[in-house]
Amino acid sequence: MAKVTDLVKRLLVGRALRSGQLHEQLLPKRIALPVFASDALSSVAYAPQEILVILSLAGVSFYAYSPWVALAVVVVMMTVVASYRQNVHAYPSGGGDYEVATTNLGKNAGLTVASALMVDYVLTVAVSVANGVDYVGATIPFVGQHKPTIAIIIVILLTVVNLRGIRESGAAFAIPTYAFMIAVLGLIVWGGFRLLVLGDEIRAPSADFTIEPEQANLTAFAAAFLILRAFSSGCAALTGVEAISNGVPAFRKPKSKNAATTLLMMGLVAITMFGGIIALGLASGVKIAEPSVVAHDLLKPDGTPVGPGYYQQPIISQVADAVFGSGSLMFIAISAVTALILFLAANTAFNGFPVLGSILAQDRYLPRQLHTRGDRLAFSNGIIILALGACLLLWGFQADVSRLLNLYIVGVFVSFTLSQTGMVIHWTRHLKTETNFRTRHQMQRSRVINFVGAIMTGLVLVVVLLTKFLVGAWIVCIAMPILFLMMKGIRRHYDNVAAELEITEDQEPVMLPARNHAVVLVSKLHKPTMRALAYARATRPSTLEAVTVGVEGEEARQLQEEWERRGIPVPLKMLDSPYREITQPILDYVKTLRRRSPRDVVTVFIPEYVVGHWWEHLLHNQSALRLKARLLFKPGVMVTSVPWQLHSSDRLKGRPEPFAPGSVRRPWHEGIKDEEQMNAR
């Protein structure tokens, strides 16, 4: 069974890598860009669309505000990218926002950032995969009918790829990411050329449609609130920017410089794609309505609703249709790579979440297992936990992108704001001691950038909370404090355990127990029992006795008779069990021994079978497992398992087993004779 499991693991994950090969897994910039930027780049597939969807609630006339909303999003993105370039230089260890906030604002601020990022990473996987399934479901009805199941399968596939290691997953995701970048940038360039140079008219499939406003005759306050809500939805384009600051250790040297360069490249490409898509969408007359109302609010040119059978193409598909023509090779290619990049956007979280989990585990805020690397030098436990969280969200929200997006970006803007505030304090502290004029000038410039970033992201956070709280963001506002308190509780537990186990200066020397009472548990007289008796005698305890529980009177008498007939020089004690229970009489007897001699220890030897098949575990050792579980909580009691390997556990069938201590090869009386001869010598 172990061989089969190992074979499957090697086929899926690959051969194990030595710790010394970690440097081989570091990423050059050309691979780091698709690995860490796929989330931010993929946001152009839905962030421009979300702006138009929200504005459509007030009718097509409100589309006139979309360029200004998009411009505001671009300004925020430029500020955040510039701010995070300062972060990767100042904190290259990979702690990212968590390290910045912890160092400059305190542990509680750091944990707030950590809980926000962990929630956001899980949502990144869920939103990206669900959106990708939507694109595929538009052409394959089966996928659309089974969205949650297909989405969960995609998450499992991404998990397997990431378990193979960061470099291998990066190489696998590089080609699709670059294909998406080239396709979308080509779409923008050719569309702009047709509009500005050739003077062609490009029209989207929905250009002649109109939208019945859900909220007509809005007051100034309501109109402003709707525009702010569109802005907060468009800020989804900023998700993923923080991933590079968390992934600096994965870059090749010089790490900070390469990370900052990659961040700048990502920012420029994302801004170009975001602005280009929304500009071409408006120029081609794209009409996008809220999915829940599209059937009756989106009207055909004759004024009739499109009806429930209408499929609303995403904004990129409509723009590609307008620029290249429906059914053209480029239209198909753009639709395909867009769906693919949405799946792969989840990879950003698969690289950010495990690293953050490892740092938190090192600081004792999460279980220590998250700090260890797996066979492929990836943080496997963190990858698996992220996948489980995303699958639960996809199942719970039925892979509905609109519902999931309402939970999105709250966490990331919490981390943005606290991180940039922490960086302002960082530069202020260093300016107090720095005397070099050139260095001071650079620090002052960085502080201004981070200050503007803190103000801007803080305002966006307020807008996001105000506009999204009642439609789903409240769930994140509950999840974050729960994670915060959980991490505080884990740290408190580890601190208490460390304090309890610490050796202090006034520590009394460990006193040897006065005596060791050995108890060998016996169910019947067979080879495992003989081995346990032999091993117990070899430890030379102060007293040694065999103990059995007399459940059936006839079996107990037969055991006693055979024990005496074989002349075993260890007294056999029979415990009465009127209620046919095995565990409790033994526990009571051990407690009696402890009460009789509190300074003594009691060592309980339990014979156990070692089996080779999983189903055999169900047939053996159940009483032993229950008994061990109870005895482990008894102070002054040591539990020793004495294994007996059954033939099914033999992995070297056909080979003679070498002699080993404790092996029962000869009759019991010959072993006694040898022992007596040795004592005589």
mmCIF file of all heavy atoms in Angstrom, residues 153 193 451 645:
data_model
loop_
_atom_site.group_PDB
_atom_site.id
_atom_site.type_symbol
_atom_site.label_atom_id
_atom_site.label_comp_id
_atom_site.label_asym_id
_atom_site.label_seq_id
_atom_site.Cartn_x
_atom_site.Cartn_y
_atom_site.Cartn_z
ATOM 1 N N ILE A 153 -12.813 20.982 -9.530
ATOM 2 C CA ILE A 153 -11.842 20.143 -10.251
ATOM 3 C C ILE A 153 -10.670 20.989 -10.744
ATOM 4 O O ILE A 153 -9.499 20.569 -10.663
ATOM 5 C CB ILE A 153 -12.535 19.419 -11.422
ATOM 6 C CG1 ILE A 153 -13.521 18.370 -10.889
ATOM 7 C CG2 ILE A 153 -11.501 18.750 -12.338
ATOM 8 C CD1 ILE A 153 -14.362 17.717 -11.961
ATOM 9 N N PHE A 193 -5.721 51.384 -33.870
ATOM 10 C CA PHE A 193 -5.280 51.724 -35.228
ATOM 11 C C PHE A 193 -6.490 51.888 -36.150
ATOM 12 O O PHE A 193 -6.551 52.833 -36.956
ATOM 13 C CB PHE A 193 -4.354 50.627 -35.745
ATOM 14 C CG PHE A 193 -3.834 50.866 -37.137
ATOM 15 C CD1 PHE A 193 -2.806 51.775 -37.367
ATOM 16 C CD2 PHE A 193 -4.384 50.196 -38.227
ATOM 17 C CE1 PHE A 193 -2.334 52.009 -38.653
ATOM 18 C CE2 PHE A 193 -3.919 50.408 -39.510
ATOM 19 C CZ PHE A 193 -2.889 51.327 -39.726
ATOM 20 N N PHE A 451 3.098 57.924 1.630
ATOM 21 C CA PHE A 451 2.069 58.718 2.295
ATOM 22 C C PHE A 451 0.859 58.904 1.373
ATOM 23 O O PHE A 451 -0.294 58.725 1.796
ATOM 24 C CB PHE A 451 2.638 60.078 2.708
ATOM 25 C CG PHE A 451 1.627 60.990 3.359
ATOM 26 C CD1 PHE A 451 1.246 60.787 4.676
ATOM 27 C CD2 PHE A 451 1.042 62.033 2.644
ATOM 28 C CE1 PHE A 451 0.306 61.607 5.276
ATOM 29 C CE2 PHE A 451 0.107 62.861 3.237
ATOM 30 C CZ PHE A 451 -0.257 62.650 4.554
ATOM 31 N N GLN A 645 5.571 -8.286 13.465
ATOM 32 C CA GLN A 645 5.302 -8.128 12.043
ATOM 33 C C GLN A 645 4.630 -9.382 11.478
ATOM 34 O O GLN A 645 5.221 -10.464 11.494
ATOM 35 C CB GLN A 645 6.596 -7.854 11.267
ATOM 36 C CG GLN A 645 7.212 -6.494 11.533
ATOM 37 C CD GLN A 645 7.939 -6.401 12.869
ATOM 38 O OE1 GLN A 645 8.233 -7.426 13.482
ATOM 39 N NE2 GLN A 645 8.204 -5.189 13.321
#
